[in-house]
Amino acid sequence: MARATIQNWQTSLPPGDCAACPIRKFAAYAGASRGSLKFLRSCRLGERVLPPKRNIYREEREADELFTLYDGWAFTYKLLPDGRRQILDFLLPGSFIGLHVLWFKAMPHSVQSLTSVSLCVFDKEKFRDLLRRKPEYERELLKYSASCQALSDERLSDLGRRTAKERIARLILEIHDQLADRGMVDRGSFPFHVRQEHIADALGLTKVHVSRTLQGLRHEGLVEIGRQTANILDLRGLRELTGFTERRALQLC
Amino acid sequence: MARATIQNWQTSLPPGDCAACPIRKFAAYAGASRGSLKFLRSCRLGERVLPPKRNIYREEREADELFTLYDGWAFTYKLLPDGRRQILDFLLPGSFIGLHVLWFKAMPHSVQSLTSVSLCVFDKEKFRDLLRRKPEYERELLKYSASCQALSDERLSDLGRRTAKERIARLILEIHDQLADRGMVDRGSFPFHVRQEHIADALGLTKVHVSRTLQGLRHEGLVEIGRQTANILDLRGLRELTGFTERRALQLC
DNA sequence: CGGATTTTTGAAAACCATCAACGCGGGTGG
DNA sequence: CCACCCGCGTTGATGGTTTTCAAAAATCCG
């Protein structure tokens, strides 16, 4: 518990003013006009800091708050009745969390923190009002939702039609590319707060097989995964392994 | 070719007036106000009929039309460079097709007809205008997009964490439930225009293994899949097999 | 240093893929 | 009208990828 407290201090808080928010350009409402940001701010209930392994939402439960992940990592997942877990997506700073609460009685999935996280908290009803009064947010969210869907379709192709090696290589590259956008990659090295068990549950594998496959990638000199960091040794080779197809489809008109 | 022509005639066309459209209540813009339907109608370029196995979109290509599937079945898919195919979703009457063209330079996936289909065709630019002028359509589409995402997350859990038998049972039930909403199920029997190879490519299996698994389900007296129809013999048993978890999460607030 | 978490290793088995051949039926063409 | 062909489903034998189970080693953290 003391540990959690310490970690809280390591996690930076979002500024009070959305216009000054450094991660806003990665958020769902990135394109919102400056003038409308004060409406966004009025939906904010404040910020919240959570230690690792805490649930932000729980599947099949109601909720009346939405979030933007400001700092830290999290993931969305579903649990089968017998305990099998499917991780749907990893969430990095800027991710919009909880779109579903706007219409659905219960959340269709759970969300859990991976590191300590800090969140912007929005009130459901106020956010609904925001959408009614400022349609530009609806447009931004719709675009955001469509691009998330495209990423999710890529993951579906991974699970359905790619080998374990390809899946793992692509997951590492996906995280790499997202962090590179945010300027968080230093000569192939970047933070990597995902354990092998998370990789397994995201990619439909067992942790044992993830361990073996990761060793394979290391022995081929492609990538090393350390405790909290990843290090891509041969970006070219890693991309070749995955068949090149890198997010051409996501360019905007 | 004569065949294709004949099939065209078997496919019914949507009415000119959206307000009179019988499948509108299953469409993305189901909740649109009656008054705004004339704007929707003004986006329509007309209707189009295609024979089976024709592409409506092609991955990585540009497009300037959107569609609503009025009659017939289709599916969305992605192709890997070496020919492996992943079917992302099956589309039934009412499905909105091509949300992505509103923002993205290229389609992130392909769409192909399974039977002969008839489509309402919308112009991209006019549809963009519609969204600007009638924000209620944006809201409806956002809700639609969120519910599609929830279904897609279910599929991801299938591929990642369920056995072949569970996956197939759930796919059949998903189609059953959607058709039941539309009143197209008659004592467990319903149209089923999906070949075993499509099931395989949707669920990350081979057609051989789908064949064997389907036989298993038949021998257990659960379900029979014929040429163009499915027949659920034991709905209770089939649902039990999948672990009950039936779309509780999708109830609206 | 000790306890919990995470990763690694090994052996055996399950599940599913692959390959190849055959059967069946509906539509086409002779 | 019948034979043929093609698409689709079935079957069997075999092999590979991945899982399972169990235990040890390594790492982290207090």
Side-chain angles (χ1 to χ4, degrees), chain A residues 79-224:
Chain A
L79 244 31
L80 305 199
D82 64 356
R84 285 174 285 181
R85 180 175 71 171
Q86 177 62 43
I87 290 181
L88 305 169
D89 200 11
F90 294 106
L91 307 177
L92 304 184
S95 296
F96 189 74
I97 305 178
L99 189 61
H100 298 268
V101 312
L102 291 172
W103 303 284
F104 303 117
K105 230 182 181 133
M107 280 297 288
H109 57 249
S110 304
V111 183
Q112 185 172 113
S113 59
L114 220 32
T115 64
S116 67
V117 295
S118 72
L119 303 159
C120 268
V121 186
F122 298 101
D123 179 71
K124 178 171 87 170
E125 293 304 335
K126 285 183 182 160
F127 204 92
R128 275 211 189 107
D129 262 5
L130 171 72
L131 294 186
R132 245 185 300 270
R133 295 173 59 173
K134 295 281 170 187
E136 59 181 304
Y137 283 92
E138 256 160 7
R139 184 161 313 127
E140 285 293 307
L141 281 178
L142 185 54
K143 183 164 102 182
Y144 182 77
S145 178
S147 62
C148 288
Q149 182 72 60
L151 284 178
S152 154
D153 288 347
E154 295 272 352
R155 179 64 48 79
L156 201 70
S157 307
D158 283 353
L159 298 207
R161 286 292 179 240
R162 279 187 246 251
T163 64
K165 197 170 165 184
E166 292 172 314
R167 294 180 208 185
I168 292 176
R170 282 170 50 87
L171 175 61
I172 294 169
L173 281 172
E174 191 191 314
I175 292 174
H176 168 271
D177 290 354
Q178 284 193 45
L179 291 177
D181 282 351
R182 277 150 232 225
M184 295 176 71
V185 177
D186 175 34
R187 285 167 295 124
S189 284
F190 51 96
F192 196 81
H193 300 291
V194 165
R195 328 257 104 249
Q196 293 187 5
E197 185 155 10
H198 296 122
I199 299 179
D201 283 345
L203 301 182
L205 304 166
T206 57
K207 58 188 178 183
V208 174
H209 198 241
V210 169
S211 171
R212 291 195 236 264
T213 308
L214 235 26
Q215 279 177 76
L217 291 173
R218 191 186 316 135
H219 290 143
E220 292 177 53
L222 293 171
V223 61
E224 284 174 344

Side-chain angles (χ1 to χ4, degrees), chain B residues 33-195:
Chain B
S33 66
R34 289 190 75 82
S36 70
L37 287 177
K38 68 170 198 286
F39 285 92
L40 178 61
R41 190 176 165 185
S42 73
C43 301
R44 281 181 62 178
L45 293 176
E47 51 276 331
R48 186 171 302 160
V49 175
L50 292 177
K53 299 189 185 180
R54 290 298 167 83
N55 273 82
I56 298 169
Y57 287 119
R58 231 178 266 276
E59 198 175 343
E60 302 192 354
R61 296 261 182 89
E62 293 185 50
D64 44 41
E65 294 172 332
L66 320 190
F67 309 92
T68 292
L69 181 56
Y70 178 75
D71 193 22
W73 293 31
F75 63 96
T76 58
Y77 68 99
K78 288 172 86 75
L79 244 30
L80 305 200
D82 63 357
R84 285 174 285 182
R85 180 174 73 169
Q86 178 62 43
I87 290 182
L88 305 169
D89 201 10
F90 294 106
L91 306 177
L92 303 185
S95 296
F96 188 75
I97 306 178
L99 189 62
H100 297 270
V101 312
L102 291 172
W103 303 284
F104 303 116
K105 235 190 177 126
M107 280 298 287
H109 57 249
S110 303
V111 182
Q112 187 173 112
S113 60
L114 220 32
T115 64
S116 67
V117 295
S118 72
L119 302 159
C120 268
V121 187
F122 298 102
D123 179 70
K124 176 170 89 170
E125 292 304 336
K126 285 182 181 159
F127 205 91
R128 275 212 189 104
D129 262 8
L130 171 73
L131 294 186
R132 244 184 301 271
R133 294 174 59 175
K134 296 282 169 186
E136 60 181 304
Y137 282 93
E138 256 160 5
R139 186 162 312 127
E140 286 293 305
L141 282 178
L142 185 53
K143 184 164 101 181
Y144 182 77
S145 178
S147 61
C148 288
Q149 181 72 60
L151 284 178
S152 155
D153 287 347
E154 294 272 352
R155 179 66 46 80
L156 201 70
S157 308
D158 284 352
L159 298 206
R161 286 291 177 240
R162 279 188 247 251
T163 65
K165 197 170 164 186
E166 292 173 313
R167 293 180 209 184
I168 291 176
R170 281 170 50 85
L171 175 60
I172 294 170
L173 280 172
E174 191 190 314
I175 291 175
H176 168 271
D177 290 353
Q178 284 193 45
L179 291 177
D181 282 350
R182 276 148 234 225
M184 296 177 71
V185 176
D186 175 33
R187 284 168 296 126
S189 285
F190 52 96
F192 196 81
H193 300 290
V194 165
R195 325 259 107 246

